[in-house]
Coordinates of all heavy atoms in Angstrom, one line a residue:
N1 N 0.8 -1.2 0.0 CA 0.0 0.0 0.0 C 0.9 1.2 0.0 O 2.1 1.2 0.3 CB -0.9 0.0 1.2 CG -2.3 0.5 0.8 OD1 -2.5 1.4 0.0 ND2 -3.4 -0.2 1.4
I2 N 0.3 2.4 -0.4 CA 0.9 3.7 -0.3 C 0.0 4.6 0.5 O -1.2 4.6 0.3 CB 1.1 4.2 -1.7 CG1 2.0 3.3 -2.6 CG2 1.7 5.7 -1.7 CD1 2.1 3.8 -4.0
R3 N 0.7 5.3 1.5 CA 0.0 6.2 2.4 C 0.4 7.6 2.2 O 1.6 7.9 2.0 CB 0.3 5.8 3.8 CG -0.3 4.5 4.3 CD 0.2 4.1 5.7 NE 1.6 3.8 5.7 CZ 2.6 4.5 6.2 NH1 2.3 5.7 6.8 NH2 3.8 4.1 6.2
I4 N -0.5 8.5 2.2 CA -0.3 10.0 2.2 C -0.9 10.5 3.5 O -2.0 10.2 3.9 CB -0.9 10.7 1.0 CG1 -0.4 10.1 -0.3 CG2 -0.7 12.2 1.1 CD1 -1.1 10.6 -1.5
Y5 N -0.1 11.3 4.2 CA -0.6 11.7 5.5 C -0.1 13.2 5.9 O 0.8 13.7 5.3 CB -0.1 10.8 6.6 CG 1.4 10.7 6.7 CD1 2.2 11.6 7.5 CD2 2.1 9.7 6.1 CE1 3.5 11.5 7.6 CE2 3.5 9.6 6.2 CZ 4.2 10.5 6.9 OH 5.6 10.4 7.0
G6 N -0.8 13.7 6.8 CA -0.5 15.0 7.4 C -0.9 15.0 8.9 O -1.7 14.2 9.3
G7 N -0.3 16.0 9.6 CA -0.7 16.0 11.0 C 0.1 17.1 11.8 O 0.7 18.0 11.2
V8 N 0.2 16.9 13.1 CA 1.0 17.8 14.0 C 1.8 16.9 14.9 O 1.5 15.8 15.2 CB 0.0 18.7 14.8 CG1 -0.7 19.7 13.9 CG2 -0.9 17.9 15.6
D9 N 2.9 17.6 15.4 CA 3.8 16.9 16.3 C 4.2 17.9 17.3 O 4.8 19.0 17.0 CB 5.0 16.4 15.5 CG 5.8 15.3 16.3 OD1 5.5 15.1 17.5 OD2 6.7 14.7 15.7
G10 N 4.0 17.6 18.6 CA 4.4 18.4 19.7 C 5.6 17.9 20.4 O 5.6 16.7 20.9
H11 N 6.7 18.6 20.4 CA 8.0 18.2 21.0 C 8.2 18.9 22.4 O 8.0 20.0 22.6 CB 9.2 18.5 20.1 CG 9.0 18.0 18.7 ND1 9.5 16.8 18.3 CD2 8.4 18.6 17.6 CE1 9.2 16.6 17.0 NE2 8.6 17.7 16.6
H12 N 8.9 18.1 23.3 CA 9.3 18.6 24.6 C 10.8 18.3 24.7 O 11.1 17.1 24.6 CB 8.5 18.1 25.7 CG 9.0 18.5 27.1 ND1 8.9 19.8 27.5 CD2 9.6 17.8 28.0 CE1 9.4 19.8 28.7 NE2 9.8 18.7 29.1
V13 N 11.6 19.3 25.0 CA 13.1 19.0 25.1 C 13.4 18.5 26.5 O 13.0 19.0 27.5 CB 13.8 20.4 24.9 CG1 15.3 20.1 25.1 CG2 13.6 20.9 23.5
T14 N 14.0 17.3 26.5 CA 14.4 16.6 27.8 C 15.8 16.7 28.1 O 16.2 16.4 29.2 CB 13.9 15.2 27.7 OG1 14.6 14.5 26.6 CG2 12.4 15.0 27.5
G15 N 16.7 17.0 27.1 CA 18.1 17.1 27.4 C 18.9 17.9 26.3 O 18.4 18.0 25.2
V16 N 20.0 18.5 26.7 CA 20.8 19.3 25.8 C 22.3 18.9 26.0 O 22.8 18.8 27.1 CB 20.7 20.8 26.1 CG1 21.6 21.6 25.2 CG2 19.2 21.2 26.0
N17 N 22.9 18.6 24.9 CA 24.4 18.3 24.8 C 25.0 19.4 24.1 O 24.8 19.6 22.9 CB 24.6 16.9 24.2 CG 26.1 16.6 24.2 OD1 26.9 17.3 24.8 ND2 26.5 15.5 23.5
H18 N 25.8 20.3 24.8 CA 26.3 21.5 24.2 C 27.9 21.4 24.2 O 28.5 21.3 25.3 CB 25.9 22.7 25.0 CG 26.4 24.0 24.5 ND1 26.7 25.1 25.4 CD2 26.8 24.4 23.3 CE1 27.2 26.1 24.7 NE2 27.3 25.7 23.4
K19 N 28.4 21.4 23.0 CA 29.9 21.5 22.8 C 30.2 22.8 22.2 O 29.7 23.1 21.1 CB 30.4 20.3 22.0 CG 30.1 18.9 22.6 CD 30.6 17.8 21.7 CE 30.3 16.5 22.3 NZ 30.7 15.4 21.4
E20 N 31.1 23.6 22.7 CA 31.4 24.9 22.2 C 32.8 25.3 22.4 O 33.5 24.9 23.3 CB 30.4 25.9 22.8 CG 30.4 25.9 24.4 CD 31.5 26.8 25.0 OE1 32.0 27.6 24.3 OE2 31.8 26.5 26.2
N21 N 33.3 26.2 21.5 CA 34.5 27.0 21.7 C 34.3 28.5 21.6 O 35.2 29.2 21.3 CB 35.6 26.5 20.7 CG 35.3 27.0 19.3 OD1 34.2 27.5 19.0 ND2 36.2 26.8 18.4
N22 N 33.0 28.8 21.9 CA 32.6 30.3 21.9 C 32.4 30.7 23.3 O 31.4 30.3 23.9 CB 31.3 30.5 21.1 CG 30.9 31.9 21.0 OD1 31.5 32.8 21.6 ND2 29.8 32.2 20.3
P23 N 33.3 31.4 23.9 CA 33.2 31.8 25.3 C 32.1 32.7 25.6 O 31.7 32.9 26.8 CB 34.6 32.5 25.6 CG 35.0 33.0 24.3 CD 34.5 32.0 23.3
M24 N 31.5 33.3 24.6 CA 30.4 34.3 24.8 C 29.0 33.6 24.9 O 28.0 34.2 25.3 CB 30.3 35.3 23.7 CG 31.6 36.1 23.5 SD 32.1 37.0 24.9 CE 30.7 38.2 25.0
T25 N 29.0 32.3 24.6 CA 27.7 31.6 24.5 C 27.2 31.3 25.9 O 26.0 31.4 26.3 CB 27.8 30.3 23.7 OG1 28.2 30.7 22.4 CG2 26.4 29.6 23.6
G26 N 28.1 30.7 26.8 CA 27.7 30.2 28.1 C 27.0 28.9 28.0 O 26.8 28.3 26.9
D27 N 26.5 28.4 29.1 CA 25.9 27.1 29.1 C 24.5 27.2 28.5 O 23.8 28.2 28.6 CB 25.7 26.6 30.6 CG 27.0 26.2 31.2 OD1 27.9 25.9 30.4 OD2 27.1 26.3 32.4
I28 N 24.1 26.1 27.7 CA 22.8 26.0 27.1 C 22.1 24.8 27.8 O 22.7 23.7 27.8 CB 22.9 25.8 25.6 CG1 23.5 27.1 25.0 CG2 21.5 25.6 25.0 CD1 23.7 27.0 23.5
D29 N 20.9 25.0 28.3 CA 20.2 23.9 28.9 C 18.7 23.9 28.5 O 18.3 24.7 27.6 CB 20.3 23.9 30.4 CG 19.8 25.2 31.1 OD1 18.9 25.8 30.5 OD2 20.4 25.6 32.1
V30 N 17.9 23.0 29.0 CA 16.5 22.8 28.6 C 15.7 24.1 28.8 O 14.7 24.3 28.1 CB 15.9 21.6 29.3 CG1 16.5 20.3 28.9 CG2 15.9 21.8 30.8
D31 N 16.1 24.9 29.8 CA 15.3 26.1 30.1 C 15.5 27.2 29.0 O 14.7 28.1 28.9 CB 15.8 26.8 31.4 CG 15.5 25.9 32.6 OD1 14.5 25.2 32.5 OD2 16.2 25.9 33.6
D32 N 16.4 27.0 28.1 CA 16.6 27.9 26.9 C 15.6 27.6 25.8 O 15.6 28.4 24.8 CB 18.0 27.9 26.4 CG 19.0 28.4 27.4 OD1 18.9 29.5 27.9 OD2 20.0 27.7 27.8
Y33 N 14.8 26.5 25.9 CA 13.9 26.1 24.9 C 12.5 26.2 25.4 O 12.2 26.0 26.5 CB 14.3 24.7 24.4 CG 15.7 24.7 23.8 CD1 16.8 24.4 24.6 CD2 15.8 24.9 22.4 CE1 18.0 24.4 24.0 CE2 17.1 24.8 21.9 CZ 18.2 24.6 22.7 OH 19.5 24.6 22.1
N34 N 11.6 26.4 24.4 CA 10.1 26.4 24.8 C 9.7 25.1 25.3 O 10.2 24.0 24.9 CB 9.3 26.8 23.5 CG 9.2 28.3 23.4 OD1 9.1 29.0 24.3 ND2 9.2 28.8 22.1
N35 N 8.7 25.1 26.2 CA 8.2 23.9 26.8 C 7.6 23.0 25.8 O 7.6 21.7 25.9 CB 7.3 24.2 27.9 CG 6.9 23.0 28.7 OD1 7.8 22.3 29.2 ND2 5.6 22.8 28.9
L36 N 6.9 23.6 24.8 CA 6.3 22.8 23.7 C 6.6 23.4 22.4 O 6.4 24.6 22.1 CB 4.7 22.8 23.9 CG 3.9 22.1 22.9 CD1 4.3 20.6 22.9 CD2 2.4 22.3 23.1
I37 N 7.2 22.6 21.5 CA 7.6 23.0 20.2 C 6.8 22.3 19.2 O 6.8 21.0 19.1 CB 9.1 22.7 19.9 CG1 10.0 23.5 21.0 CG2 9.5 23.2 18.5 CD1 11.4 23.0 20.9
V38 N 5.9 23.0 18.4 CA 4.9 22.4 17.6 C 5.4 22.5 16.1 O 5.8 23.5 15.6 CB 3.6 23.1 17.7 CG1 2.5 22.4 16.8 CG2 3.1 23.0 19.2
N39 N 5.2 21.4 15.4 CA 5.5 21.3 14.0 C 4.3 20.7 13.2 O 3.6 19.8 13.7 CB 6.7 20.4 13.7 CG 8.0 21.1 14.1 OD1 8.2 21.3 15.3 ND2 8.9 21.3 13.2
A40 N 4.1 21.1 12.0 CA 3.2 20.4 11.1 C 4.0 19.3 10.4 O 5.2 19.5 10.2 CB 2.6 21.4 10.0
D41 N 3.3 18.2 10.1 CA 4.0 17.0 9.6 C 3.3 16.6 8.3 O 2.1 16.4 8.3 CB 3.9 16.0 10.7 CG 4.7 14.7 10.3 OD1 5.5 14.7 9.3 OD2 4.6 13.7 11.0
F42 N 4.1 16.4 7.2 CA 3.5 15.9 6.0 C 4.5 14.8 5.4 O 5.7 14.9 5.6 CB 3.5 17.0 4.9 CG 2.8 18.3 5.4 CD1 3.6 19.3 5.9 CD2 1.4 18.4 5.4 CE1 3.0 20.5 6.4 CE2 0.8 19.6 5.8 CZ 1.6 20.6 6.3

């Protein structure tokens, strides 16, 4: 069979792995991201 679909996807950030050589950035953690990130899906 062949399927065609669309929908929505709600993401929640649970962890951040940050590797940097930019001293101006500082630490990046889950609090820097929205609690719910929504995308349309096709």
Side-chain angles (χ1 to χ4, degrees):
N1 221 319
I2 298 175
R3 294 172 288 110
I4 301 172
Y5 60 84
V8 294
D9 199 350
H11 306 269
H12 175 70
V13 178
T14 59
V16 178
N17 183 8
H18 177 212
K19 298 178 181 179
E20 52 84 21
N21 69 351
N22 181 357
M24 303 300 294
T25 302
D27 291 333
I28 298 177
D29 57 31
V30 295
D31 294 331
D32 293 305
Y33 297 88
N34 275 324
N35 189 51
L36 180 63
I37 303 169
V38 180
N39 289 64
D41 186 11
F42 310 95

